[in-house]
């Protein structure tokens, strides 16, 4: 299976991921201390038969968050092990990722050797048992593809007029969950081949508590307002109804129980820590809705452009920006705590 590529906006312009990724940075900060604790308690560098510790960040995008994440991991290793080993970091993302911007902004004072590895993490990327630690933050929510039944008019999961599962029927949500489970099985099996015994994997992703319905996912509020803007554009003649009916965002947020079950079913990793955290706790005051919509544009403009064309993007986000007050009200009413999952796994 060849995974679809959905790169973040490259470069360093106004709508780039580089300039609009502060929410992911807050997510890293929310998990920083827990990651440090996990590495100190569970990652034994001295037991690894290698003079070089090789780490990979999967779904690295264009920075600067990937550099912050890997520096946090490296510092935790050095602080807990006082090691003199050398470090190599592989920055990996789809071949369409803007690696030029990424490597042009590499920290000059880094204490590791850097390399780029283009390709999808929905498959093998590295030689067998060559990695000691894998990190991935806010990337695993991307599915390898949109479930086929969402586009089938004869299916109970046909997602007419919707662009995600958060405001759709339970059949649509089940189709998303099934696709996510397939993707995670491939992801875990691929990483099991690549990570040496005793190695570690740290995953951060959007999630929801088991008892909370998927319609309460905060990101779903933003998706619903994008749907409204698209519907308005159909009425205005900017796009067609068929174009909206055939578009779905391939992103999914699992529950802790789902992730635990998938890891246990794979059987190659031991769950060392699994915890829901609240990234919003790192922000002071109310959410900046303008910044949030810019963040959504940086993340989804590529896939929207591929489907609808670039000429509709400004209108789409202008219409959505005009709904800022409503978005703010509904976000405050949605579930806001415990929407980020930290999962620390150890290779058996």
């Amino acid at each position: 299976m060849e995974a679809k590529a959905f790169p973040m906006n490259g470069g360093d312009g106004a709508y780039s991921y580089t300039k609009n990724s502060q929410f992911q940075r807050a997510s890293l900060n929310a998990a920083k201390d827990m990651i440090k604790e996990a590495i100190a308690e569970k990652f034994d560098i001295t037991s690894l038969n290698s003079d070089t510790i090789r780490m990979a960040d999967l779904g690295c995008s264009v920075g600067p968050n990937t550099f912050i994440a890997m520096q946090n991991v490296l510092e935790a290793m050095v602080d807990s092990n006082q090691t003199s080993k050398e470090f190599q970091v592989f920055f990996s993302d789809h071949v369409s990722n803007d690696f030029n911007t990424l490597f042009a902004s590499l920290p000059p004072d880094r204490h590791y050797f850097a390399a780029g590895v283009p390709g999808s993490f929905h498959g093998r990327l590295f030689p067998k048992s060559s990695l000691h630690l894998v990190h991935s933050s806010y990337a695993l929510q991307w599915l390898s593809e949109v479930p086929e039944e969402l586009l089938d008019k004869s299916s109970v999961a046909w997602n007419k007029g919707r662009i995600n599962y958060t405001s759709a029927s339970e059949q649509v949500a089940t189709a998303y969950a099934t696709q996510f489970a397939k993707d995670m099985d491939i992801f875990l099996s691929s990483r099991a081949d690549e990570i040496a015994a005793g190695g570690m994997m740290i995953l951060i992703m959007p999630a929801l508590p088991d008892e909370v319905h998927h319609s309460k996912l905060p990101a779903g509020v933003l998706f619903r307002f994008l749907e409204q803007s698209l519907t308005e554009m159909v009425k205005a003649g900017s796009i067609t109804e068929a174009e909206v009916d055939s578009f779905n965002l391939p992103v999914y947020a699992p529950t802790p129980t789902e992730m635990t079950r998938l890891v246990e079913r794979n059987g190659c990793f031991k769950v060392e820590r699994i915890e829901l955290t609240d990234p919003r706790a790192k922000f002071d005051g109310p959410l900046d809705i303008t910044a949030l919509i810019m963040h959504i544009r940086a993340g989804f403009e590529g896939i929207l452009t591929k489907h609808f064309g670039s000429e509709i993007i400004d209108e789409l986000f202008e219409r959505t920006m005009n709904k800022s007050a409503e978005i703010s009200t509904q976000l405050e009413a949605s579930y806001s705590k415990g929407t980020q999952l930290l999962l620390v796994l150890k290779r058996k």
Side-chain angles (χ1 to χ4, degrees), residues 146-158:
V146 171
E148 292 181 359
E149 53 266 50
L150 302 186
L151 307 177
D152 182 357
K153 293 182 180 180
S154 64
S155 169
V156 293
W158 182 35

Side-chain angles (χ1 to χ4, degrees), residues 94-134:
H94 284 286
V95 295
S96 52
N97 185 59
D98 185 1
F99 283 100
N100 287 335
T101 294
L102 175 73
F103 287 111
S105 56
L106 269 171
D109 57 347
R110 65 189 181 278
H111 298 289
Y112 54 81
F113 297 95
V117 178
S120 169
F121 55 51
H122 295 297
R124 284 283 301 276
L125 289 165
F126 301 92
K128 191 173 181 64
S129 302
S130 63
L131 298 177
H132 303 107
L133 186 140
V134 166

Side-chain angles (χ1 to χ4, degrees), residues 22-331:
Q22 63 269 40
F23 293 99
Q24 290 93 330
R25 200 168 312 136
S27 301
L28 287 172
N29 291 334
K32 180 179 178 180
D33 290 341
M34 287 179 281
I35 292 172
K36 186 173 183 178
E37 290 172 7
I39 290 173
E41 295 171 5
K42 302 295 183 179
F43 191 83
D44 183 10
I45 285 183
T46 59
S47 69
L48 300 173
N49 186 27
S50 176
D51 292 329
T52 302
I53 303 302
R54 288 179 288 275
M55 306 182 292
D57 188 35
L58 306 184
C60 65
S61 193
V62 295
N65 292 346
T66 185
F67 305 132
I68 297 170
M70 300 316 289
Q71 185 62 32
N72 290 344
V73 169
L74 190 147
E75 288 176 359
M77 286 186 185
V78 172
D79 290 345
S80 60
N81 292 276
Q82 295 300 312
T83 182
S84 60
K85 292 179 183 287
E86 294 186 313
F87 294 89
Q88 184 173 23
V89 175
F90 297 101
F91 296 95
S92 180
D93 212 314
H94 284 286
V95 295
S96 52
N97 185 59
D98 185 1
F99 283 100
N100 287 335
T101 294
L102 175 73
F103 287 111
S105 56
L106 269 171
D109 57 347
R110 65 189 181 278
H111 298 289
Y112 54 81
F113 297 95
V117 178
S120 169
F121 55 51
H122 295 297
R124 284 283 301 276
L125 289 165
F126 301 92
K128 191 173 181 64
S129 302
S130 63
L131 298 177
H132 303 107
L133 186 140
V134 166
H135 175 275
S136 184
S137 179
Y138 276 74
L140 276 174
Q141 74 271 16
W142 285 94
L143 302 176
S144 64
E145 61 181 353
V146 171
E148 292 181 359
E149 53 266 50
L150 302 186
L151 307 177
D152 182 357
K153 293 182 180 180
S154 64
S155 169
V156 293
W158 182 35
N159 204 22
K160 177 177 174 56
R162 305 292 185 188
I163 64 172
N164 192 243
Y165 68 95
T166 50
S167 61
S169 68
E170 292 302 317
Q171 291 91 340
V172 171
T174 298
Y176 268 88
T178 300
Q179 183 63 51
F180 180 79
K182 291 177 183 176
D183 289 345
M184 279 305 304
D185 185 53
I186 294 171
F187 176 86
L188 291 169
S189 295
S190 298
R191 304 296 81 78
D193 285 338
E194 297 166 349
I195 298 175
M200 181 176 283
M201 184 150 60
I202 299 169
L203 308 175
I204 303 172
M205 66 188 80
L208 269 185
D210 295 298
E211 69 277 9
V212 177
H213 193 262
H214 57 72
S215 61
K216 295 295 185 180
L217 187 71
V221 173
L222 294 164
F223 298 156
R224 286 193 287 277
F225 278 99
L226 279 178
E227 285 173 3
Q228 286 184 21
S229 296
L230 289 168
T231 300
E232 291 169 3
M233 292 171 69
V234 169
K235 294 176 180 177
S238 302
I239 55 177
T240 68
E241 184 178 2
E243 285 178 306
V244 176
D245 291 344
S246 59
F247 178 76
N248 293 277
L249 290 171
V251 289
Y252 180 78
T255 66
T257 294
E258 279 181 279
M259 285 302 301
T260 301
R261 184 172 61 246
L262 292 171
V263 172
E264 291 176 347
R265 188 174 73 182
N266 176 264
C268 296
F269 294 91
K270 178 186 177 183
V271 177
E272 296 289 358
R273 185 165 187 166
I274 183 167
E275 189 165 342
L276 282 168
T277 60
D278 178 16
R280 283 185 60 177
K282 292 295 180 180
F283 287 96
D284 295 324
L287 277 174
D288 184 339
I289 301 301
T290 297
L292 191 58
I293 294 172
M294 291 285 280
H295 153 83
I296 292 295
R297 178 166 181 167
F300 294 112
E301 183 170 349
I303 188 172
L304 288 162
T305 296
K306 191 172 184 179
H307 185 83
F308 294 103
S310 60
E311 63 277 2
I312 67 99
I313 298 300
D314 286 342
E315 180 184 352
L316 172 61
F317 284 97
E318 284 170 9
R319 286 179 179 274
T320 306
M321 199 75 76
N322 290 336
K323 300 175 176 63
S324 293
E326 298 171 77
I327 293 173
S328 180
T329 299
Q330 290 199 23
L331 275 177

